[in-house]
Amino acid sequence: MIAPPHRRDDGVFDVAVIGGGIVGAAIGRELSGCDVSVALLEARDDVGDGTSKANTAILHTGFDAEPGTLESRLVARGYHLLGAYAKATGIPVEHTGAVLVAWNQEELDALPGLKEKAEANGYQHCRIVGAAEVYRTLPDLGDGVLGGLTVPDESIICTWTTNLALATDARQRGTTILLQHAVTAVDTGDDVTTLTTVGGEVRARWVVNAAGLGADHVDRLFGHDRFTVTPRRGELFVFDKLARPMVDKIVLPVPSSRGKGVLISPTIYGNVMLGPTAEDLTDRTDTSTSEGGYDFLLTKGERLMPRLLAEEVTASYAGLRAAIDHPDYLIEVTPAQRYLLVGGIRSTGLTAGIAIAEHARLLLEEAGLALRNRGDLPEPPQMPNIGEAALRPYQDAERIAADPAYGTIVCFCERVTEGEIRDACHAPVPARDLEGLRRRTRAMNGRCQGFFCGAAVASLRTKHHTHDGCGSQHKDSR
């Protein structure tokens, strides 16, 4: 474990950040770049195992955000911050560009307003194009396109690696990561707040609530009643890599009076994604797929790109978004409680995460938390590449010559090697189960969904399982 700078001897952290998703990890990273001790509390057994893992994985320019909102400002800044951070750490990104496709007169009439909105948000590169140009770009679209709006700087990114990079960076800067620490009670004292969790008590002078789907519950533990989270289920289809030549750009729906609609997007892993649906639920744990969602996506896909439906579906999955009854991000500080709420962060939080962390730091400083930059920060972590646009370990002859484990393929669908499995188990924020390995390496994520390689991957995980890193911090904190 890397000790936090100037760690107190009284067992009290300067800041406790609740939530190990992208936003919480980004805040932990930002604050641990200062002369304070930081704890990152995650309810689950791994960082990024909640809302963040099922993001649509688009690096947004912020062209379509509501101008003048906090979200629009932070997404626009986050686009540049995350783009630079991805280059520094090796997070996979592909600059594909996007096209909003108009299928009816209402959507066609909306394009000039969307272009004006983009320009109001500071994005000047959108262009309205006719149907012929849309079909030249995306010849496999279904019949009936009337026009489109190009967004050349929209990109695809690996949401899993983004979350892991931020958490790894935070830990290497000194953040203590506490897994399986769901907060169940809060006691705000004069100088110290005690968080009762399922993993034991955590004491901190300041608390940041970035708990995603549980942010309203935590907020109520602090005595507030500001908002309610509605879990919004989004179901998606992932098509086989053979479909990728059809979709080299993100195909976005034109927002209409009926909602935002369904997109088609390439993925960083070489697949094609169709979705998401949008269904409000009451169960905050329901990530099951449904017959209704399946039928809805088939109907949409048949209209948008009929040829796509002839390709094999590799997987279907569902994620939950934290929809709230508030039109903007809800980021508010309560100085008397030494408490900062970071709530209502929609799917744009992937792009905005680092900018949200900057904003959180500013609010904490204004509220009285002394934050002085450290001069001894480690270099950003270098993340393993699991994207298709750059060299993978199984393709790297020099790397294989130095360590033959990188030439021993375990998952043949996704070309994942024994060396990558081993590295994921021994990383600073290690994989603690098979799902953690899936997010770190792509193992079991291909056509067979682990049917062929699952036993071998499980055996390697057992062989390389370690209690180092986050695991020891989790267990020692009980």
Side-chain angles (χ1 to χ4, degrees):
M1 171 179 167
I2 301 173
H6 304 289
R7 175 72 180 276
R8 311 293 192 216
D9 295 327
D10 56 5
V12 179
F13 293 96
D14 291 313
V15 187
V17 180
I18 303 171
I22 285 173
V23 173
I27 294 171
R29 170 187 172 272
E30 177 72 25
L31 296 180
S32 57
C34 303
D35 192 19
V36 292
S37 58
V38 180
L40 181 65
L41 282 63
E42 168 54 44
R44 298 174 183 251
D45 200 33
D46 195 6
V47 296
D49 192 32
T51 300
S52 293
K53 72 180 179 184
N55 194 285
T56 47
I58 295 176
L59 179 57
H60 286 292
T61 59
F63 78 97
D64 61 345
E66 189 60 35
T69 60
L70 180 62
E71 180 178 18
S72 69
R73 177 164 65 84
L74 295 182
V75 171
R77 174 146 178 78
Y79 175 84
H80 297 289
L81 290 175
L82 181 52
Y85 189 68
K87 286 183 180 179
T89 59
I91 297 169
V93 174
E94 289 185 43
H95 300 289
T96 59
V99 181
L100 280 82
V101 179
W103 296 90
N104 57 48
Q105 193 61 45
E106 179 189 359
E107 293 174 351
L108 188 66
D109 292 343
L111 296 183
L114 288 168
K115 183 173 182 292
E116 291 173 6
K117 177 184 277 190
E119 292 167 353
N121 283 319
Y123 186 74
Q124 309 295 326
H125 302 147
C126 286
R127 189 166 60 91
I128 296 174
V129 298
E133 184 163 345
V134 173
Y135 280 118
R136 276 196 298 273
T137 303
L138 295 158
D140 291 301
L141 285 174
D143 295 335
V145 171
L146 299 183
L149 181 74
T150 64
V151 192
D153 298 301
E154 292 282 287
S155 305
I156 56 175
I157 190 169
C158 180
T159 185
W160 298 336
T161 308
T162 300
N163 205 145
L164 187 61
L166 292 166
T168 301
D169 208 351
R171 182 172 186 269
Q172 293 183 166
R173 290 178 171 197
T175 292
T176 299
I177 298 177
L178 301 173
L179 303 173
Q180 291 188 344
H181 274 63
V183 176
T184 58
V186 171
D187 180 13
T188 306
D190 291 338
D191 300 307
V192 174
T193 295
T194 300
L195 303 173
T196 301
T197 84
V198 298
E201 289 188 349
V202 178
R203 302 169 70 217
R205 291 173 175 80
W206 291 77
V207 177
V208 178
N209 173 9
L213 285 166
D216 57 338
H217 289 168
V218 173
D219 200 47
R220 290 188 179 96
L221 293 177
F222 277 88
H224 301 281
D225 189 16
R226 288 181 272 197
F227 68 109
T228 298
V229 168
T230 298
R232 183 164 293 162
R233 181 168 61 186
E235 298 182 50
L236 301 107
F237 285 161
V238 178
F239 289 86
D240 187 76
K241 293 174 177 58
L242 294 173
R244 179 61 185 268
M246 296 184 203
V247 186
D248 64 353
K249 293 190 181 303
I250 305 164
V251 182
L252 293 173
V254 176
S256 70
S257 58
R258 293 176 296 279
K260 280 199 169 184
V262 168
L263 61 83
I264 300 174
S265 176
T267 76
I268 211 78
Y269 320 113
N271 302 93
V272 173
M273 183 174 62
L274 170 69
T277 61
E279 179 186 4
D280 289 347
L281 306 176
T282 56
D283 184 352
R284 302 188 188 208
T285 64
D286 187 0
T287 56
S288 61
T289 55
S290 67
E291 184 178 352
Y294 187 90
D295 290 341
F296 177 82
L297 291 177
L298 285 178
T299 300
K300 284 291 185 180
E302 183 65 35
R303 169 73 190 277
L304 296 172
M305 190 174 284
R307 276 194 61 201
L308 181 61
L309 296 188
E311 300 295 331
E312 292 186 16
V313 173
T314 297
S316 62
Y317 69 92
L320 297 176
R321 290 160 279 172
I324 70 168
D325 45 356
H326 190 273
D328 199 357
Y329 289 171
L330 187 55
I331 306 179
E332 296 181 359
V333 66
T334 308
Q337 293 181 300
R338 304 176 308 283
Y339 168 61
L340 174 65
L341 166 66
V342 183
I345 310 300
R346 292 170 273 277
S347 60
T348 54
L350 165 59
T351 300
I354 299 177
I356 291 171
E358 277 189 346
H359 184 64
R361 172 182 172 168
L362 177 62
L363 292 179
L364 290 169
E365 287 183 299
E366 291 175 346
L369 175 60
L371 293 171
R372 184 180 62 201
N373 288 336
R374 292 167 52 198
D376 59 343
L377 291 180
E379 291 296 315
Q382 295 303 301
M383 305 307 295
N385 171 52
I386 61 172
E388 287 295 291
L391 192 70
R392 297 272 305 284
Y394 79 92
Q395 301 168 313
D396 191 338
E398 184 176 341
R399 192 171 186 181
I400 294 168
D403 185 346
Y406 292 117
T408 304
I409 293 177
V410 179
C411 170
F412 285 86
C413 294
E414 298 298 295
R415 303 293 192 268
V416 180
T417 67
E418 182 178 339
E420 292 170 277
I421 300 290
R422 177 200 62 205
D423 293 350
C425 291
H426 292 277
V429 183
R432 296 171 56 82
D433 56 22
L434 293 179
E435 286 304 305
L437 278 176
R438 188 191 294 265
R439 291 192 295 275
R440 287 163 174 79
T441 66
R442 285 171 49 183
M444 306 175 296
N445 217 43
R447 291 179 65 140
C448 84
Q449 289 291 289
F451 180 82
F452 180 78
C453 66
V457 172
S459 177
L460 284 171
R461 193 201 75 84
T462 300
K463 174 183 176 182
H464 293 293
H465 180 62
T466 174
H467 292 300
D468 293 341
C470 298
S472 65
Q473 293 175 38
H474 157 58
K475 291 185 179 299
D476 290 347
S477 66
R478 285 185 182 275

